[in-house]
Amino acid sequence: MEPGTGADPTALAQAVARQRAELERLRDEAATTAVMERAKGALMAADGRSADAAHDELLRRARTGNRTLLEECWLTLGALERPRREAEGQPDRDARRSAPASGSGDVADVLGAVGRDLVRVGSPQELAGCLLRHLAPEAGADAVMLYERLPEGGIELMGHAGIAPTFAAQWHRIPPLTNVAPLDALAAGEPCWLEDLARDREHYLLVDDPPDRWRSRAWLPVPGGPASGVVLGVLRGEERPFTPRERQLLRAVARLCAGRLRAFDSRPDGHDDSAQPVQSVLDALPGAAILLCPLRSPSGEVEDYRIEAAAPEAVDVFGRTGQDMVGSRILESYPSVAGEALWDGYLQALTTKVPFESEPFAYHDTVDGVPVTATYSVRAAPLDGGLLVTWLRHDPAELQEQRLADVQRLGNLGWAVWNLATGETAWSAQAYAVLGQDPAAGPVALERLPRLVAADDGDTLTRAITELTTRATPFDLPFRVHTERGVRHLRIVAEAVADPDGTPVEVHGFVQDLTAQRSAELALVESERAMLLQRGVLQAERALAGRLQHALLPLPRKPVSLAGLRVEIAYLPAQSGIQVGGDWFSAIELPDDQALFVVGDVAGHGIDAVATMAQLRFTAKGMVSTGSSLTGALSRLNQLLLHSREALTTATMILARYDPRTRVLTWTQAGHPPPLLVRGTEVRYVPRPRGILLGASAAPVFESAELRLEPGDRLLLYTDGLVERPGESLDTALSRLAGTVRAQGGREGAGSLDALLASLLADERRDDVCVVDIRMPPAGE
């Protein structure tokens, strides 16, 4: 019944319709049963028959007259008394209408009136009220009490009329004592007439309040069947003997009550007698348990459940217990369960034959306009086509205690109380776990607590406890203890409760295990220390690499002229990180008046990258200067990287040789971005010859290509730091570079390398940038 979308309206409507139909059926059944019991009671009162003999006589008459039992009962009630009165010469009903109303009517007429009223009686309490209305004028009754025998031998009040509620509560249950008139009447099976108050007080413990109020009384056992354990009490404020007529009337009324009480004990139609063995088992079991029988529609769907058996300790949200619940239906008694998780769980257990266990849930209902809420855990297990349901009601105090235990467990803390006046000490279970103590040894006194802590912390804790117990000074201290699991870092917080003169009388505190937190703090401090140390090393390395880079790669302060070309070079280190990269360049004039242009990028950063860069730069210059071909130089550089101590080092590179006589630029590349050519209004990338990055293969293939430069041409050689952006493809990056160069063509300062870099590198750079800007002078210059 965990709150969800609410009860299913269709199921609720069906439950209401079934409840109304059941109410009508029970009314009809009650009326029929009452007529039958009245007829039996009339025969019992008239002839002194037993209940079974009266029932057999009615059956015989019905068979003889070819009538139903109900028809025979009506005929008996209408015709039984009149022939007897005529045979005895008594006046008929019409002649008696003027007779006095108080005790002068015929006993049969009084019984007939009582029998007619008993049809509308629905409980023992209503029965007592009905009897008082009739017996007050006919027998001088001032009060009526109905007691039933208890299994242990005492009696319990089941109905009353004419007595105060306090009196009923005082005498609600009478133990199996001696000299108690109603108990003696039940034991003897005969009425007990108390007509002399003084004498009766000497022999009996009288049911009385105030004393001497009831001066005469009668206790009559109700005979026959299930009602044989019931005694009827008629109490009068007048002290006088019961007349023979009154005694006859009371005996007959007691026999007439037997039929009505039997109707109360009858079970509704459809009750499964096979539940009796289960009921016998439940009677012997503790706890709350009921047996549910599914009620199905013609199509076989479960429409409701009926309670067939209930344990004596079973109590529902409305306070009904044990047998009071038997026969009721779930949806009619608890309609808000329709469509909820509990209802689905019942169906699941019934269908799959697998027990269902619910999580704790809150059940909400209204009783007499007052909201009722209770928290339950329910288990339903299949049993012979039905469900055996057990539940546990969570008391608010139990929930609070469980929550407190959960808080201590989750927070890894425990409470402790030390009474300084009595010396009593109490610890929670978690306090023993935190302090690493055995619960069997009991709690430790406050003054002995410093003996549990590490030696270095004992004096501090001792001083704090002294201040607390003498001056009520609270404290909050960390300390350490040695346990089987090693050193634990704990915290103790304590305060004192003082009497009116300020003397501490009790200490409240808690201890908390902070080992995990302390370990994390120490690890964080160590990590920060290591980071600071590493940062210092890296900064020193960067400074060294930077100085080495500047020494190996001097940057010209202004454009230079090589082999008739204007060459401008830019080198920009990364703005993030503390390591330098391996980007590099060369722009030198060769011995045969040709020019060599080189742009490269070594993978990685730091001293190793700078060292590899220097090795490649000087080796490439040396090999090309001594006549090696460009492709041959790349092949040898590839072998150099493969056999270096850093076997996984790779690099990209462009090697280009320019011959001023033919204006032809011969070039080759190893996995490097293509050069960008600007010719007039045309901006395009030069197709790359074959070549993979250096250090990636033991048998690479390198090819060369030629580009004839025209007057006014501009050629950009660059590293990938100029174009690459996080999350962006290389094609997009190259398109952005070409677009930027094209857009700057008509602006003031067109062709400025500084303007190009400012447009492309507005954001923070994550890699070094190296650019070699080669220009062919226009014609006529």
Side-chain angles (χ1 to χ4, degrees), residues 284-441:
L285 292 179
I290 57 176
L291 177 64
L292 295 183
C293 174
L295 304 177
R296 301 181 182 271
S297 65
S299 62
E301 296 181 357
V302 176
E303 293 184 330
D304 205 344
Y305 298 88
R306 184 176 57 244
I307 300 177
E308 295 291 341
E313 295 184 9
V315 182
D316 68 1
V317 70
F318 304 116
R320 292 180 296 187
T321 60
Q323 288 297 319
D324 294 336
M325 303 166 61
V326 174
S328 60
R329 300 188 179 192
I330 294 298
L331 289 182
E332 293 171 359
S333 301
Y334 322 101
S336 61
V337 307
E340 293 292 339
L342 181 62
W343 183 262
D344 296 337
Y346 283 172
L347 292 177
Q348 175 186 338
L350 200 61
T351 303
T352 63
K353 307 301 180 184
V354 177
F356 161 75
E357 295 187 12
S358 75
E359 297 293 333
F361 63 89
Y363 177 80
H364 306 279
D365 214 317
T366 302
V367 180
D368 297 330
V370 179
V372 175
T373 301
T375 302
Y376 294 94
S377 296
V378 176
R379 184 180 190 274
L383 179 65
D384 291 337
L387 291 175
L388 182 63
V389 178
T390 57
W391 66 88
L392 175 65
R393 180 167 180 168
H394 300 283
D395 184 75
E398 295 176 355
L399 287 176
Q400 198 71 11
E401 184 177 348
Q402 182 60 44
R403 289 167 183 162
L404 178 60
D406 291 341
V407 168
Q408 294 183 73
R409 177 177 52 82
L410 295 174
N412 207 1
L413 56 86
W415 57 261
V417 176
W418 292 274
N419 191 309
L420 305 181
T422 64
E424 296 179 356
T425 302
W427 285 7
S428 69
Q430 194 65 25
Y432 290 98
V434 171
L435 291 169
Q437 298 298 303
D438 184 3

Side-chain angles (χ1 to χ4, degrees), residues 143-176:
V144 169
M145 302 179 75
L146 287 168
Y147 278 101
E148 66 177 338
R149 192 197 310 271
L150 296 175
E152 62 268 24
I155 54 176
E156 185 177 60
L157 187 63
M158 59 186 301
H160 61 84
I163 63 174
T166 54
F167 176 73
Q170 180 181 358
W171 295 95
H172 177 73
R173 179 171 292 188
I174 301 176

Side-chain angles (χ1 to χ4, degrees), residues 602-625:
V602 176
H605 297 81
I607 294 294
D608 291 339
V610 172
T612 302
M613 174 270 292
Q615 186 179 30
L616 293 176
R617 181 170 184 263
F618 288 112
T619 302
K621 288 171 57 178
M623 286 190 294
V624 175
S625 297

Side-chain angles (χ1 to χ4, degrees), residues 690-715:
R690 292 176 60 188
I692 63 173
L693 60 111
L694 302 177
S697 173
V701 176
F702 297 108
E703 296 179 350
S704 62
E706 293 184 349
L707 172 66
R708 183 180 177 83
L709 299 180
E710 301 293 339
D713 282 356
R714 181 186 184 187
L715 188 67

Side-chain angles (χ1 to χ4, degrees), residues 58 271 334 382 634 737:
L58 290 174
H271 181 77
Y334 322 101
L634 287 181
L737 172 60

Side-chain angles (χ1 to χ4, degrees), residues 64-374:
T64 302
N66 194 23
R67 292 182 291 269
T68 66
L69 180 60
L70 182 59
E71 291 172 341
E72 186 61 42
C73 290
W74 282 115
L75 289 174
T76 300
L77 288 174
L80 180 63
E81 298 298 334
R82 185 178 183 89
R84 185 178 64 81
R85 291 195 300 270
E86 293 176 351
E88 296 173 353
Q90 298 176 357
D92 63 13
R93 185 182 306 271
D94 294 335
R96 296 196 304 272
R97 288 180 178 171
S98 60
S102 179
S104 60
D106 187 79
V107 172
D109 287 340
V110 177
L111 291 176
V114 173
R116 286 190 296 271
D117 286 348
L118 288 185
V119 176
R120 294 183 292 273
V121 169
S123 67
Q125 186 70 14
E126 295 179 7
L127 174 60
C130 177
L131 295 179
L132 181 60
R133 286 194 301 273
H134 289 278
L135 296 180
E138 296 296 334
D142 295 309
V144 169
M145 302 179 75
L146 287 168
Y147 278 101
E148 66 177 338
R149 192 197 310 271
L150 296 175
E152 62 268 24
I155 54 176
E156 185 177 60
L157 187 63
M158 59 186 301
H160 61 84
I163 63 174
T166 54
F167 176 73
Q170 180 181 358
W171 295 95
H172 177 73
R173 179 171 292 188
I174 301 176
L177 303 175
T178 58
N179 298 327
V180 177
L183 287 171
D184 288 351
L186 280 176
E190 292 292 334
C192 184
W193 309 99
L194 306 181
E195 301 162 314
D196 187 337
L197 182 61
R199 186 181 62 184
D200 295 335
R201 185 176 287 117
E202 294 177 1
H203 295 85
Y204 293 101
L205 173 64
L206 299 181
V207 177
D208 222 341
D209 184 25
D212 303 335
R213 178 178 181 182
W214 314 114
R215 306 189 68 82
S216 62
R217 63 199 77 192
W219 294 99
L220 302 98
V222 177
S228 60
V230 176
V231 61
L232 168 64
V234 178
L235 288 70
R236 303 190 305 187
E238 180 183 8
E239 184 177 1
R240 65 173 178 84
F242 290 90
T243 66
R245 178 188 175 278
E246 290 172 343
R247 293 195 177 199
Q248 178 187 5
L249 175 62
L250 294 182
R251 288 177 182 272
V253 167
R255 288 195 294 268
L256 197 60
C257 289
R260 194 65 199 134
L261 291 171
R262 190 178 298 108
F264 296 157
D265 290 338
S266 61
R267 293 182 176 179
D269 291 343
H271 181 77
D272 187 4
D273 292 335
S274 64
Q276 186 56 43
V278 179
Q279 181 64 64
S280 300
V281 174
L282 295 183
D283 287 342
L285 292 179
I290 57 176
L291 177 64
L292 295 183
C293 174
L295 304 177
R296 301 181 182 271
S297 65
S299 62
E301 296 181 357
V302 176
E303 293 184 330
D304 205 344
Y305 298 88
R306 184 176 57 244
I307 300 177
E308 295 291 341
E313 295 184 9
V315 182
D316 68 1
V317 70
F318 304 116
R320 292 180 296 187
T321 60
Q323 288 297 319
D324 294 336
M325 303 166 61
V326 174
S328 60
R329 300 188 179 192
I330 294 298
L331 289 182
E332 293 171 359
S333 301
Y334 322 101
S336 61
V337 307
E340 293 292 339
L342 181 62
W343 183 262
D344 296 337
Y346 283 172
L347 292 177
Q348 175 186 338
L350 200 61
T351 303
T352 63
K353 307 301 180 184
V354 177
F356 161 75
E357 295 187 12
S358 75
E359 297 293 333
F361 63 89
Y363 177 80
H364 306 279
D365 214 317
T366 302
V367 180
D368 297 330
V370 179
V372 175
T373 301

